[in-house]
Amino acid sequence: MTAATGDILSADLSSLSDAQLMKLERQIAKKHSGMFPWLMVIWAFGNLLCWLAVWPLVLLDIMPLWLGFIVATINMSMVYLPTHDAQHDIIARPGQKLRWLNEWVGHATSWMIILPFEVLRVTHLDHHRHANDPELDPDYTSHAAGPWAALWRTVKERQPKGQRQNDYLASLERHDRQGLILLTLAYKLGFFAILFTLAWTGFALEAFFLWWLPLQIAMPYLVFYLSWAPHHPGTARGRYTETRSWKSAIGNIGSMGMQFHIVHHLHPYIPLDRTPAAYREMRPLLVARGCELGDN
């Protein structure tokens, strides 16, 4: 924080205009953006290699299946955040030298949860454009009255007739990306072909405990903390009201950095690991804006 910014933030902000508040907000956001997100790159490929290593360790009886299941579940739960930063071009924007790395991070992580990177990118950017809009927000189905209702709804939405998949399809169609629908189908068919082949060759338990079940456990966890918790109650729309900061019972790491999700929606080019620091500097401005802020 510059000295000038610090002086203003320690003063009474109620006398500042919207333009002045925005200028200060952007100064803080700029300070926390633009650096290379090493954490996300290491996270992406480290998590992938860890999960891939579990397979030969279990198949060769070096690691017990129960331990492999625990590790695989953690791996599946950690998949999304690196691809999320890649969706926002935080590693490298189009035309930059490391653009290939940005795309590699996106693709190398998303396939583990059986979704093409471009599908996640198109639908997630639609979520940012239309957050909490019941007609246009692809993630609107994550809204629920409370945490248990949210988890139950997430499980229901994973059924074949869930509304969430229809909302994702509608988002792709609005952007004339029907080809991604076929690619998603190919991902699903490939996934089931791998599971079938493993089962046919005598590795049904390994297929179940190292991929299928960890995925079923991880997805409700991901949707709960990445969508429901930071947007609850999900009824307001607008730059400063469509999301919030909040205090998680399992901490910022356990909730995957989503305690400060309001900063991400305001300035999505800030790397995930920088949002807590950006939030702490920006908090007086957010209070002046009337944002919903937790005790963090």
Side-chain angles (χ1 to χ4, degrees):
M1 184 187 304
T2 64
T5 302
D7 291 342
I8 295 175
L9 292 184
S10 63
D12 181 9
L13 298 178
S14 61
S15 62
L16 299 183
S17 67
D18 285 349
Q20 289 172 316
L21 290 172
M22 179 60 75
K23 181 178 180 181
L24 291 172
E25 184 183 315
R26 287 175 175 165
Q27 286 177 356
I28 296 170
K30 184 178 180 181
K31 172 185 174 181
H32 292 281
S33 61
M35 64 285 293
F36 187 79
W38 285 106
L39 176 62
M40 285 296 104
V41 175
I42 295 171
W43 181 335
F45 295 109
N47 188 58
L48 171 62
L49 291 174
C50 181
W51 181 67
L52 291 176
V54 166
W55 288 85
L57 290 174
V58 170
L59 294 176
L60 295 173
D61 292 324
I62 299 172
M63 176 185 288
L65 182 57
W66 65 265
L67 180 57
F69 164 65
I70 294 173
V71 175
T73 302
I74 294 172
N75 292 147
M76 286 294 161
S77 301
M78 295 177 64
V79 162
Y80 187 77
L81 292 182
T83 188
H84 174 261
D85 269 22
Q87 290 163 32
H88 287 285
D89 304 323
I90 289 175
I91 299 167
R93 303 190 66 79
Q96 293 182 331
K97 286 175 60 177
L98 291 177
R99 179 62 177 177
W100 61 271
L101 182 57
N102 187 89
E103 303 305 277
W104 269 31
V105 167
H107 289 290
T109 49
S110 61
W111 71 271
M112 289 172 62
I113 54 174
I114 328 301
L115 281 169
F117 173 50
E118 278 300 313
V119 169
L120 293 174
R121 173 182 268 158
V122 170
T123 55
H124 182 65
L125 295 182
D126 239 9
H127 160 69
H128 273 262
R129 297 184 193 98
H130 309 291
N132 299 341
D133 185 326
E135 300 297 327
L136 297 175
D137 183 356
D139 294 329
Y140 190 78
T141 55
S142 64
H143 297 309
W148 292 111
L151 286 171
W152 177 240
R153 187 167 189 182
T154 299
V155 172
K156 289 174 62 179
E157 286 299 327
R158 289 191 59 74
Q159 307 308 307
K161 293 185 178 181
Q163 181 59 37
R164 189 180 185 88
Q165 65 180 356
N166 293 331
D167 292 343
Y168 271 51
L169 289 173
S171 175
L172 297 176
E173 289 172 350
R174 283 196 302 271
H175 294 279
D176 196 25
R177 302 296 299 273
Q178 288 87 345
L180 291 178
I181 298 174
L182 296 176
L183 183 60
T184 303
L185 178 60
Y187 269 54
K188 302 294 184 185
L189 292 175
F191 173 58
F192 287 116
I194 293 171
L195 294 183
F196 176 81
T197 301
L198 286 168
W200 186 262
T201 54
F203 300 107
L205 289 178
E206 288 79 2
F208 181 79
F209 283 109
L210 298 184
W211 201 350
W212 190 89
L213 187 56
L215 180 61
Q216 308 314 313
I217 295 172
M219 290 308 294
Y221 169 76
L222 290 170
V223 173
F224 182 89
Y225 280 112
L226 271 69
S227 190
W228 179 81
H231 288 280
H232 182 67
T235 55
R237 298 188 61 198
R239 178 175 170 83
Y240 295 98
T241 56
E242 63 194 20
T243 186
R244 61 173 182 155
S245 75
W246 54 290
K247 187 72 171 179
S248 172
I250 58 174
N252 196 47
I253 294 176
S255 56
M256 296 183 288
M258 294 297 108
Q259 290 187 141
F260 311 102
H261 195 61
I262 188 170
V263 171
H264 172 65
H265 266 250
L266 291 171
H267 304 281
Y269 47 85
I270 297 177
L272 175 71
D273 56 302
R274 297 294 302 176
T275 55
Y279 172 82
R280 293 185 188 100
E281 290 192 34
M282 207 176 288
R283 196 177 196 281
L285 296 170
L286 301 180
V287 170
R289 294 286 194 178
C291 298
E292 182 182 349
L293 305 180
D295 185 21
N296 52 11

